[in-house]
Amino acid sequence: MSVPVPPPPDGVLSGTSDSMEAGEPTLGLSDASPDEGLIEDFAVEDKAVEQLVGGLLSHYLPDLQRSKQALQELTQNQVVLLDTLEQEISKFKECHSMLDINALKRALKLQQKRQKEELEREQQREKEFEREKQLTAKPAKRT
């Protein structure tokens, strides 16, 4: 009668319990050299990586180049817009300065008009004062 043996862990090669009893060697992970087959694996991996990179580039590069071109055009358009905006701002400032100058001219005219009216009132008072002075009775001179 044979006793059931649990299965070996994943990746471990082992014979059946019958082969152990017969004295046959079993192959496990520790039996193979760790460097065995690495050079061939790297060569295959390098080729695969190159092919994958080439595939990715051929797939995405045209879209990326179009996006780059579109971004360059947008940047150029923004530069043009900024220049135009600066010109409009300078025109706007010039208009405001003209409005300020016009307001100052109006204020100056109003001030001159008020000064002229004040001068005329002062002159009118002086005339009235002279007239009253002339109308005031004066003592007669003796001769």
Side-chain angles (χ1 to χ4, degrees):
M1 183 154 71
S2 69
V3 178
V5 178
D10 288 340
V12 176
L13 298 175
S14 65
T16 61
S17 61
D18 293 337
S19 64
M20 288 181 151
E21 292 171 2
E24 293 178 13
T26 59
L27 292 176
L29 288 178
S30 60
D31 292 339
S33 171
D35 295 335
E36 190 175 318
L38 284 180
I39 294 175
E40 294 87 24
D41 289 343
F42 281 136
V44 170
E45 287 179 11
D46 286 345
K47 288 180 185 176
V49 167
E50 287 177 20
Q51 289 175 347
L52 287 171
V53 167
L56 282 172
L57 285 176
S58 67
H59 182 72
Y60 290 110
L61 192 60
D63 289 337
L64 290 173
Q65 287 174 337
R66 282 192 297 272
S67 297
K68 181 181 177 182
Q69 181 65 29
L71 286 173
Q72 286 174 339
E73 289 176 15
L74 285 172
T75 303
Q76 289 173 350
N77 289 341
Q78 282 182 336
V79 168
V80 169
L81 285 173
L82 285 173
D83 289 342
T84 305
L85 185 61
E86 287 177 5
Q87 291 173 358
E88 292 299 318
I89 287 172
S90 66
K91 288 178 185 177
F92 185 71
K93 286 181 180 178
E94 186 177 329
C95 286
H96 270 286
S97 65
M98 291 300 290
L99 290 174
D100 291 342
I101 289 173
N102 288 336
L104 285 174
K105 286 183 180 179
R106 281 193 295 263
L108 182 62
K109 286 180 183 178
L110 284 173
Q111 184 180 12
Q112 288 173 346
K113 185 178 177 183
R114 286 183 190 142
Q115 287 176 346
K116 184 178 178 182
E117 289 173 354
E118 184 66 31
L119 182 63
E120 288 174 355
R121 280 194 295 266
E122 186 65 31
Q123 288 174 348
Q124 185 66 28
R125 278 190 286 240
E126 285 181 15
K127 284 181 184 178
E128 288 177 10
F129 179 73
E130 284 295 322
R131 187 167 181 249
E132 280 185 29
K133 191 176 177 185
Q134 288 176 357
L135 292 176
T136 308
K138 298 179 185 171
K141 292 185 181 177
R142 295 184 191 184
T143 53

